[in-house]
Amino acid sequence: MAAAPDHLFNLRNNFYLGAFQAAINNSDVPNLSPDDAVERDSLVYRSYIALGSYQLVVHEIDASAPTPLQAVKLLALYLSSPENKESTISSLKEWLADPAIGSNPILRLIAGIVFTHEQDYNEALKHTNAGGTMELHALNVQIFLKMHRSDYAERQLRAMQQIEEDHTLTQLANAWLNLAVGGSKIQEAYLIFQDFSEKYQMTSLILNGKADAKDPETLANLVVCCLHLGKPSSRFLSQLKLSHPDHVLVKRASTAEESFDRAVQSVA
């Protein structure tokens, strides 16, 4: 039997990749189930939060809204002003202890985000470590990287790859881990962000990811890797020439080009 269409695919992708205004603008999705409608609303309100529109979220989500939206409202309250922090965290802990709603994945996700902001990583992991959604797994990767435990982050990534290797969050988590590990892994991170920039709207998340991975050695490694794989390397070589014209690989390439030009002229 064919899987049901994922009506929220584009909305989720926009949110994950930091295209928050696009997520808001394209959120009028027809034929949603009640659960999907709640997920849609939570993504839209989280997009507003990412854009700094905390008060809009606080005012629009009223006491009758379902638990996921109440959790998103708590995040808006927490981020909107320092004096709200203690009461927000107190409410959050109260809700998490309630057997009727404490296991809600969006509530657990918001708890993870808030306690990560507080740099209380052990408390964050209490609520996120069981996973259950791709966003919870991705947040676990971020928490473990903040704790400088790339070994645990890699385990989470493996779990995500088993669920869906091509998922946007799996690719992002892979890039975050590669950037944290460094060395030759940075070029793999660059290629992931480069792939995103070719497929989707350019966002600051993608630009910053590419910038983090764009040191001269990364670009040089990319040139060499592409040549080994028989793929075109001119784009990376051009970037290297523009950003680091004195790099040894640029000088070698220039020397080789000059030698080639001379050889062509001698037989012309």
Side-chain angles (χ1 to χ4, degrees):
M1 196 170 88
D6 183 355
H7 296 296
L8 297 178
F9 177 84
N10 290 329
L11 178 58
R12 281 197 210 97
N13 248 20
N14 279 327
F15 178 77
Y16 297 151
L17 293 171
F20 302 117
Q21 195 60 54
I24 293 164
N25 294 351
N26 298 294
S27 61
D28 189 13
V29 184
N31 305 319
L32 293 181
S33 68
D35 285 349
D36 281 351
V38 170
E39 185 184 352
R40 184 266 315 274
D41 291 346
S42 71
L43 287 166
V44 168
Y45 285 127
R46 287 171 64 199
S47 296
Y48 277 118
I49 289 172
L51 294 171
S53 299
Y54 308 126
Q55 293 311 315
L56 180 148
V57 176
V58 171
H59 291 311
E60 286 201 9
I61 298 175
D62 63 25
S64 66
T67 299
L69 299 186
Q70 296 292 348
V72 172
K73 182 176 181 175
L74 270 188
L75 179 61
L77 284 166
Y78 169 82
L79 294 171
S80 63
S81 56
E83 60 267 23
N84 287 335
K85 285 191 175 184
E86 278 189 34
S87 62
T88 306
I89 290 171
S90 174
S91 296
L92 191 56
K93 287 182 174 177
E94 199 178 305
W95 294 2
L96 290 161
D98 182 340
I101 61 171
S103 62
N104 181 276
I106 299 286
L107 178 60
R108 288 166 49 222
L109 180 74
I110 298 302
I113 292 168
V114 167
F115 291 120
T116 300
H117 268 279
E118 291 289 302
Q119 298 185 345
D120 190 347
Y121 302 129
N122 289 328
E123 186 65 28
L125 286 168
K126 271 188 205 174
H127 308 293
T128 63
N129 202 27
T133 69
M134 292 301 271
E135 271 205 275
L136 282 164
H137 283 301
L139 181 56
N140 284 335
V141 170
Q142 289 183 314
I143 294 168
F144 286 130
L145 292 177
K146 286 178 185 293
M147 296 172 78
H148 306 291
R149 292 305 305 260
S150 56
D151 52 338
Y152 284 108
E154 188 168 359
R155 281 186 212 168
Q156 284 292 319
L157 175 62
R158 297 284 167 264
M160 294 175 78
Q161 288 171 330
Q162 285 178 352
I163 297 165
E164 190 179 341
E165 189 157 12
D166 292 332
H167 195 287
T168 298
L169 285 176
T170 308
Q171 295 298 310
L172 276 175
N174 198 357
W176 298 330
L177 179 61
N178 287 336
L179 286 173
V181 170
S184 62
K185 289 287 182 184
I186 292 178
Q187 69 202 45
E188 293 178 33
Y190 182 91
L191 287 171
I192 290 169
F193 287 115
Q194 179 66 31
D195 188 48
F196 281 143
S197 71
E198 289 172 2
K199 284 183 184 171
Y200 304 111
Q201 174 187 335
M202 185 61 78
T203 65
S204 58
L205 182 147
I206 295 171
L207 278 171
N208 290 339
K210 287 176 72 175
D212 288 343
K214 209 167 81 176
D215 66 70
E217 294 314 311
T218 301
L219 290 169
N221 286 336
L222 284 165
V223 171
V224 173
C225 280
C226 287
L227 289 171
H228 278 308
L229 294 169
K231 294 183 175 180
S233 62
S234 56
R235 174 191 290 156
F236 302 122
L237 187 56
S238 297
Q239 279 183 283
L240 190 60
K241 282 179 182 176
L242 287 169
S243 56
H244 301 91
D246 294 328
H247 192 278
V248 62
L249 194 65
V250 173
K251 289 181 174 175
R252 281 185 193 162
S254 298
T255 304
E257 284 169 12
E258 287 164 11
S259 301
F260 180 76
D261 288 343
R262 281 198 299 275
V264 169
Q265 285 165 4
S266 67
V267 297

